[in-house]
Amino acid sequence: MDVKFPTLLCLTLLFSTILNPALSELCNPKDKKVLLQIKKAFNNPYVLSSWNPETDCCDWYSVTCDSTTNRVNSLTLFSGGLSGQIPTQVGDLPYLETLEFHKQPNLTGPIQPSIAKLKRLKELRLSWTNISGSVPDFLSQLKNLTFLELSFNNLTGSIPSSLSQLPNLVALHLDRNKLTGHIPKSFGEFHGSVPDLYLSHNQLSGTIPTSLAKLDFSTVDFSRNKLEGDASMIFGFNKTTQIVDLSRNLLEFNLSKVEFSKSLTALDLNHNKITGSIPVGLTQVDLQFLNVSYNRLCGQIPVGGKLQSFDSSTYIHNQCLCGAPLPS
């Protein structure tokens, strides 16, 4: 009798679970309700057909739950299938750490203000969509953000200076939008980590803030804007900068006076108004990529290092630059 009772109990629980899946469901009911509201807001698209109220939401497409709390901590919707605006309900998933809408060309409207409620958010990726409006100031309230990507959209207006208040940010992607105005001076005063800055393919104008000299950026991409004046503050012998792309701007400074860090691997300055000569210090840098073409450089290309390993297209269309690999 004693032996049979546990067996019967196990069988009873097993059949109960089969007949009523809700007993074995890991998904938090509040999170499930919110996800179903998001599905409805998108007009029940085919891409979310696995979001079935009869099944465990932790098993749904693009949804991940925390292994300990079983709260939804990741929502990553990419490669099409959605249309309309980002639903306000995304702000009702309080344990979300990753939110991603990527390659959704039919996603429109502004960046959803309710995202400001997601205080645990670490990664926000809204890229390759048709969202428009400004880069919202409320993003600076998300103090746990490490990765912010808003590239390949139709965002307009200026870059909010408050983004420098994100203490854990390691990468900021605002490239390939229609942003205007100046690079904020506050970008030389990031609190905490120093992020990689991707601001290329916009309509940014004015000068690069001198405050950037105070920070040691690993990657800076300001290419294809309308930036003017000096850019030497980005460089420095004692910095650990690896990649700098300032190509296709209106920059005008003397390259001969610039000191480069030995950590530099890629330097692109093409299509600017840069004067002076190529500094001898660049022979000490293990460059994998270099382009200084279409500037106003003069003098002999220093011999040594990697400078002769690049072809002539690296140096062409300068004022009076000469020496190998340029033809005599």
Side-chain angles (χ1 to χ4, degrees):
M1 188 75 177
D2 291 337
V3 177
K4 289 179 182 177
F5 181 72
T7 307
L8 286 169
L9 182 63
C10 288
L11 286 170
T12 304
L13 288 170
L14 177 63
F15 283 117
S16 300
T17 302
I18 293 169
L19 293 171
N20 187 3
L23 290 174
S24 63
E25 190 166 333
L26 298 174
C27 178
N28 182 279
K30 291 179 182 177
D31 292 347
K32 187 173 193 175
K33 182 182 178 183
V34 171
L35 289 170
L36 291 171
Q37 288 172 345
I38 291 171
K39 181 183 179 182
K40 185 179 179 182
F42 279 129
N43 293 315
N44 301 309
Y46 176 76
V47 72
L48 302 182
S49 57
S50 71
W51 291 23
N52 183 340
E54 302 301 319
T55 59
D56 189 342
C57 81
C58 292
D59 296 328
W60 290 355
Y61 170 74
S62 295
V63 176
T64 308
C65 295
D66 183 86
S67 57
T68 305
T69 64
N70 297 321
R71 300 302 299 258
V72 172
N73 65 359
S74 176
L75 181 60
T76 55
L77 295 160
F78 52 89
S79 297
L82 303 178
S83 60
Q85 299 191 15
I86 299 172
T88 58
Q89 291 89 345
V90 296
D92 297 328
L93 294 168
Y95 288 83
L96 215 55
E97 294 180 7
T98 300
L99 178 61
E100 179 178 334
F101 290 95
H102 177 60
K103 290 193 175 179
Q104 299 285 357
N106 295 317
L107 199 66
T108 57
I111 296 175
Q112 177 54 246
S114 67
I115 290 173
K117 296 193 287 183
L118 302 173
K119 301 304 182 187
R120 288 179 170 84
L121 206 62
K122 294 179 181 177
E123 295 186 20
L124 178 60
R125 188 182 192 194
L126 310 174
S127 55
W128 295 76
T129 77
N130 268 305
I131 60 172
S132 56
S134 61
V135 177
D137 196 57
F138 66 71
L139 293 174
S140 63
Q141 299 171 27
L142 303 174
K143 301 301 184 186
N144 287 310
L145 271 186
T146 59
F147 184 83
L148 177 57
E149 181 177 351
L150 305 176
S151 51
F152 289 88
N153 293 302
N154 288 316
L155 297 171
T156 55
S158 58
I159 300 171
S161 59
S162 59
L163 293 180
S164 65
Q165 296 168 20
L166 294 169
N168 299 299
L169 201 63
V170 296
L172 175 62
H173 292 257
L174 301 178
D175 47 303
R176 296 191 185 253
N177 282 286
K178 298 172 183 176
L179 299 173
T180 54
H182 296 191
I183 296 171
K185 292 179 182 177
S186 64
F187 276 21
E189 298 163 358
F190 273 94
H191 307 300
S193 58
V194 180
D196 294 339
L197 289 181
Y198 298 89
L199 308 180
S200 71
H201 293 78
N202 281 291
Q203 297 164 29
L204 300 172
S205 58
T207 57
I208 298 172
T210 55
S211 59
L212 267 61
K214 295 184 283 185
L215 296 185
D216 186 3
F217 294 94
S218 177
T219 299
V220 172
D221 186 355
F222 295 166
S223 62
R224 292 179 183 263
N225 281 289
K226 299 173 182 177
L227 300 169
E228 302 171 359
D230 189 17
S232 60
M233 77 292 289
I234 291 169
F235 306 100
F237 183 76
N238 293 319
K239 292 189 176 184
T240 58
T241 309
Q242 295 181 344
I243 298 169
V244 175
D245 189 349
L246 304 173
S247 61
R248 295 181 182 270
N249 278 287
L250 304 168
L251 297 168
E252 198 168 349
F253 61 96
N254 189 337
L255 191 66
S256 16
K257 297 179 180 179
V258 178
E259 292 189 331
F260 295 95
S261 63
K262 289 188 176 181
S263 58
L264 197 65
T265 60
L267 176 64
D268 195 346
L269 302 174
N270 81 77
H271 285 85
N272 280 289
K273 301 176 182 179
I274 300 168
T275 58
S277 57
I278 295 174
V280 177
L282 269 182
T283 61
Q284 304 299 312
V285 179
D286 189 22
L287 287 168
Q288 306 302 310
F289 178 85
L290 175 66
N291 193 344
V292 294
S293 65
Y294 292 88
N295 278 289
R296 298 173 182 177
L297 298 172
C298 253
Q300 187 88 15
I301 298 169
V303 176
K306 291 287 188 72
L307 296 187
Q308 276 68 45
S309 68
F310 303 108
D311 62 30
S312 60
S313 64
T314 292
Y315 303 103
I316 58 169
H317 290 282
N318 274 287
Q319 201 157 15
C320 47
L321 206 56
C322 59
L326 289 172
S328 56

